[in-house]
Amino acid sequence: MRITVLGGLGAWPTADQACSGFLVEHEGFRLLIDPGYATLQPLLARVPAARVDAVYVSHGHPDHCADLQPLLRARVLADRSGPPLPVHAPAGSLDRLLAIDEPGLVESAYQVRAFAPGDAFELGPYRVDTWSLPHWVPNAGARFAGRDAVLAYTGDTGTSPDLVELARDADLLIADATYPEEIPDRHAGNLSSAAEVGRYAAEASTRRVLLTHLWPGTPPDRAVAAARRAYRGPVQVAAPGLVLRVPEPELPPAGEATDPGA
């Protein structure tokens, strides 16, 4: 499984980075997770719009779904004969976004496959199990189980005992870490800290952690340090263009030469 970070910010994009969004490639299937603000351009730098096979949206806040709309335009206006894009999202979460264009323009470009957080379903090569996690709007954390790898993704969430189950033994956990340590009162119960991620990732024996949805301006090293106090595995912050492979390729024994053409 190959995961490319399109962006890793929460709330709004900056001049240097998009909001959270991830391109996940596995067995020739291209899944776009949470196409938030400003994720379309880095996506199109890597794959044509028509080659995206499906989209998963955790919840309806625009920093997680806004660039779905220009993605649909890029597909349908370039080729009206193309197949509709399957879009998996909590029921009703995309209604306002999909209604902003002129009637009839993009409807043929997508097929919403609505679900309720807590549902399980098949999506390309994955079995997807979802959890209803605390946020201001319905948010579906998800566990994508492929043939030989598991990716867990929280979307946006406050503290929940379900996070341990979601992250249990996952090869990679992509987790909301809006703040390094303390969560302001106005966001308490609806967003997470990197310190919290470290605690539940350690309890879940997650193999690797990627912190995302950092508040713009947050120093990445502060978030990493906060998570590492409880979690001893590899921790990184989602940065544009970062590519991760799960499970991680095995390194050759010390002193063993590698084949540069492999």
Side-chain angles (χ1 to χ4, degrees):
M1 195 182 297
R2 173 185 166 106
I3 298 99
T4 301
V5 177
L6 305 175
L9 296 180
W12 74 91
T14 65
D16 302 314
Q17 185 172 176
C19 288
S20 289
F22 307 90
L23 175 64
V24 183
E25 299 168 273
H26 185 52
E27 296 186 357
F29 190 89
R30 295 182 175 93
L31 172 64
L32 176 60
I33 297 178
D34 276 6
Y37 290 128
T39 55
L40 182 62
Q41 283 184 297
L43 172 69
L44 296 182
R46 291 160 175 83
V47 61
R51 298 294 300 277
V52 176
D53 295 302
V55 175
Y56 179 90
V57 174
S58 63
H59 65 287
H61 281 158
D63 57 332
H64 290 260
C65 66
D67 271 27
L68 172 63
Q69 202 277 335
L71 172 62
L72 297 177
R73 278 189 160 224
R75 288 172 69 98
V76 74
L77 296 180
D79 180 9
R80 292 187 179 274
S81 67
L85 177 66
V87 179
H88 301 258
S93 61
L94 299 177
D95 290 353
R96 288 186 294 175
L97 175 69
L98 295 173
I100 67 173
D101 222 324
E102 60 185 89
L105 185 65
V106 299
E107 279 82 349
S108 64
Y110 65 88
Q111 180 184 66
V112 174
R113 298 184 179 177
F115 65 89
D119 287 351
F121 49 89
E122 302 296 318
L123 198 173
Y126 307 103
R127 173 185 166 85
V128 182
D129 292 283
T130 69
W131 284 260
S132 178
L133 298 177
H135 197 47
W136 289 283
V137 299
N139 173 71
R143 185 177 173 94
F144 301 88
R147 182 165 50 110
D148 57 1
V150 173
L151 168 66
Y153 178 63
T154 67
D156 288 356
T157 182
T159 301
S160 168
D162 290 333
L163 288 165
V164 175
E165 185 180 0
L166 168 68
R168 178 76 65 194
D169 296 323
D171 293 284
L172 177 66
L173 168 66
I174 302 179
D176 168 21
T178 308
Y179 297 97
E181 300 276 0
E182 299 298 324
I183 300 174
D185 289 344
R186 69 184 186 279
H187 291 163
N190 292 295
L191 293 172
S192 293
S193 70
E196 290 173 333
V197 174
R199 289 192 289 269
Y200 72 76
E203 184 177 351
S205 299
T206 304
R207 294 182 177 86
R208 193 174 184 183
V209 168
L210 184 67
L211 305 173
T212 190
H213 202 259
L214 274 64
W215 197 258
T218 301
D221 58 345
R222 284 189 60 205
V224 170
R228 281 183 173 158
R229 276 202 299 277
Y231 178 72
R232 296 293 177 253
V235 181
Q236 292 174 274
V237 167
L242 176 66
V243 176
L244 302 176
R245 290 173 175 83
V246 293
E248 293 182 85
E250 292 187 11
L251 296 175
E256 181 176 315
T258 58
D259 178 0

